[in-house]
Amino acid sequence: MITDFDAIVIGAGPAGATTAIRLAQAGWAVALVEKRDYPRRKVCGECIAATNLPLLDALGIGEAFRDIAGPELRRVGLFVGKRTIVAPLPPLDAGPYRWGRALGREHLDTLLLGRAAQVGASVWQPWTVKHEQRDGALHACDLVRTGGSDTMRLRAPILVRAHGSWEPEPDAQAAERAPHRGSDLLAFKGTYRDARIEPGLLPVLAFSGGYGGMVLGDHGLTTLAFCIRRDTLRAQRSRGPAGKAALAALDHVQAHCAGVRDALADATQAEDWLAAGPIQPGVHAPWRADGSFAVGNLAGEAHPILGEGISMAIQSAWLLCDRLLAQGAGQSPRQSSPARIEAIGRDYARRWRGHFASRIRIAAVCANLAMRPQAAGALLPVLQRFPGLLTLCARAAGKVRQPPDSPIGRITDTIHNGAQQR
Ligand SMILES: Cc1cc2nc3c(=O)[nH]c(=O)nc-3n(C[C@H](O)[C@H](O)[C@H](O)COP(=O)(O)OP(=O)(O)OC[C@H]3O[C@@H](n4cnc5c(N)ncnc54)[C@H](O)[C@@H]3O)c2cc1C
């Protein structure tokens, strides 16, 4: 069976669901394909910067988000060795929301997907895109029901890839997968009750061979999420009894960060550990030669040391939808020629780099410093003397207002002005 749409979006994380909501709100016929059943947990620190809260309002889930998210994140910390350094997080300088908050991905992603269905997107879940090809001017995606054998072909002139960067691409052959390297960063997440962490504090963890973060989120749960080099984890496992990789990784983190050890001293594990990776930091390809667009992690991924991935996922989707909706104004996407779609793609890729490439570079510098104890040790006296440098880092990483000439800045202004006039 073949079904035709204006756009197919692969993956319903924050990037894909945002794309589907905005295009469906503009009247497009959108198919949103997600291979997992929701709600589903995900490796993530789950902190959402304040810049996104007006966007969540515009998407229609702002109130639901605010009802359940954890406390406002007003302070940033650094846990390194025996030291803890704390500084204020910069507030967003305009609009109704000053501070970010944390919300479990099982809630955030479910809210976004539910909203996409509500505004008219056709949700295919749990279906996996297995294969893609061109069918004349259209993209054709072959889907298989996850865990089943039903198949389906969807076609559309616009294909938006939002399937993240930690899993093989549709059509990827086993032989194409990158070989394991000692420098690969594997990601873990643990969830705790009764952890001793100050509400509203966002500590960054720096330890030999990795980095991470901890935060009090929704329902009184604390999330501990971190990345650790494959060779560091292997060495740690070889020193202890055979057991779960996550527990060996946790031992390593606790041995190098007294702040984590103290916070978890009386805590109880609330959920199973999750693992993912290796992560793929770097600028990837917002626009591809096969005529498809990429948003979120697949377009480019920041080291998650500064917790900016969800922001970049939502904001890159926003940027793309702006380009698609503005340049296709008054015209059905089914009438767009491949040349016109390519022009939109090149424009989107250029703007994407302007917005996100520097954030990816700053996160890479911070991650590389955090993972090297000597570098972190040399910086410690400076940071202890000038903790405000942590505030500056958070600002440089994009935690606060976008430049006023950016489309996202303008959208935020429009939403703020609308809110003030109401
Ligand atoms: C340790 C760690 C901590 C982090 N902490 C934070 C933080 O505090 N704040 C923050 O903002 N970011 C954080 N991040 C980053 C954040 O998790 C990602 O940047 C974000 O999830 C990217 O969103 P996305 O929509 O691009 O992709 P994803 O969230 O990965 O979503 C992709 C979706 O596509 C689906 N999919 C994949 N393949 C297919 C297919 N073939 N067919 C159909 N569906 C498919 C998947 O099931 C998934 O639901 C962290 C990351 C790590 C590793």
Side-chain angles (χ1 to χ4, degrees):
M1 187 172 153
I2 298 180
T3 308
D4 285 353
F5 291 90
D6 294 331
I8 301 167
V9 182
I10 310 176
T18 298
T19 308
I21 294 171
R22 286 214 58 211
L23 296 181
Q25 279 174 330
W28 285 34
V30 181
L32 175 60
V33 188
E34 169 55 51
K35 71 180 191 183
R36 300 274 309 272
D37 266 322
Y38 280 12
R40 61 104 173 79
R41 298 172 58 232
K42 190 167 178 82
V43 177
C44 186
E46 306 178 328
C47 298
I48 299 159
T51 40
N52 300 295
L53 303 196
L55 304 184
L56 296 185
D57 280 345
L59 292 171
I61 67 153
E63 195 176 335
F65 171 85
R66 291 193 301 279
D67 281 350
I68 49 174
E72 290 179 336
L73 300 171
R74 291 173 176 244
R75 304 214 299 159
V76 60
L78 180 65
F79 288 176
V80 52
K82 294 183 180 152
R83 309 284 171 78
T84 295
I85 300 170
V86 173
L89 261 174
L92 191 61
D93 50 17
Y97 309 112
R98 293 280 184 270
W99 316 98
R101 296 168 69 180
L103 179 64
R105 294 290 297 272
E106 62 274 34
H107 303 300
L108 177 70
D109 293 21
T110 304
L111 284 174
L112 285 167
L113 180 79
R115 181 64 181 158
Q118 198 182 36
V119 296
S122 166
V123 176
W124 295 80
Q125 183 186 41
W127 287 78
T128 304
V129 176
K130 289 282 188 195
H131 175 65
E132 302 152 23
Q133 63 185 67
R134 294 303 294 226
D135 183 348
L138 301 178
H139 292 271
C141 291
D142 292 325
L143 279 52
V144 177
R145 188 185 287 278
T146 307
S149 54
D150 299 350
T151 58
M152 172 65 70
R153 171 167 283 196
L154 309 183
R155 295 189 313 183
I158 305 287
L159 176 63
V160 181
R161 299 169 183 277
H163 43 83
S165 54
W166 308 338
E167 298 172 66
E169 299 238 344
D171 289 316
Q173 304 298 316
E176 292 170 29
R177 295 187 196 161
H180 288 183
R181 288 171 309 180
S183 58
D184 287 343
L185 282 171
L186 306 175
F188 293 92
K189 172 173 123 168
T191 309
Y192 292 88
R193 234 172 249 299
D194 301 322
R196 251 187 268 141
I197 180 164
E198 180 191 312
L201 174 66
L202 176 55
V204 172
L205 323 177
F207 54 88
S208 166
Y211 59 81
M214 262 185 118
V215 73
L216 176 63
D218 54 276
H219 301 92
L221 295 173
T222 294
T223 296
L224 165 64
F226 58 84
C227 293
I228 182 168
R229 283 176 60 114
R230 193 188 290 279
D231 50 9
T232 304
L233 179 59
R234 197 182 296 134
Q236 177 70 25
R237 293 186 87 178
S238 70
R239 283 194 285 273
K244 276 194 163 182
L247 298 183
L250 176 64
D251 282 347
H252 181 81
V253 175
Q254 289 191 304
H256 288 80
C257 285
V260 176
R261 213 164 49 235
D262 294 345
L264 298 186
D266 301 319
T268 48
Q269 196 182 322
E271 307 269 10
D272 287 342
W273 276 89
L274 296 180
I279 64 163
Q280 309 288 337
V283 174
H284 305 314
W287 162 251
R288 294 192 179 191
D290 68 357
S292 65
F293 302 90
V295 287
N297 268 16
L298 197 64
E301 179 170 359
H303 275 275
I305 186 161
L306 302 168
E308 278 295 295
I310 300 172
S311 300
M312 287 177 43
I314 294 175
Q315 293 175 13
S316 60
W318 208 280
L319 189 63
L320 173 61
C321 292
D322 266 1
R323 302 332 300 157
L324 288 172
L325 296 174
Q327 300 201 32
Q331 187 189 32
S332 159
R334 288 182 219 194
Q335 290 159 358
S336 293
S337 66
R340 183 167 181 79
I341 293 172
E342 179 170 348
I344 296 173
R346 293 192 184 286
D347 179 44
Y348 163 65
R350 186 178 56 77
R351 289 170 190 263
W352 188 98
R353 287 196 176 84
H355 281 292
F356 302 115
S358 65
R359 286 158 78 171
I360 289 178
R361 281 195 294 272
I362 289 166
V365 170
C366 295
N368 282 302
L369 284 174
M371 285 190 280
R372 290 179 170 77
Q374 281 170 344
L379 276 179
L380 258 184
V382 184
L383 285 172
Q384 279 181 307
R385 184 120 191 256
F386 305 107
L389 286 173
L390 286 179
T391 314
L392 277 180
C393 274
R395 190 178 286 282
K399 287 264 175 242
V400 287
R401 200 160 181 66
Q402 296 288 324
D405 64 337
S406 78
I408 293 162
R410 272 189 272 114
I411 288 154
T412 312
D413 282 345
T414 312
I415 296 163
H416 289 160
N417 294 341
Q420 274 159 13
Q421 280 161 17
R422 276 199 293 277

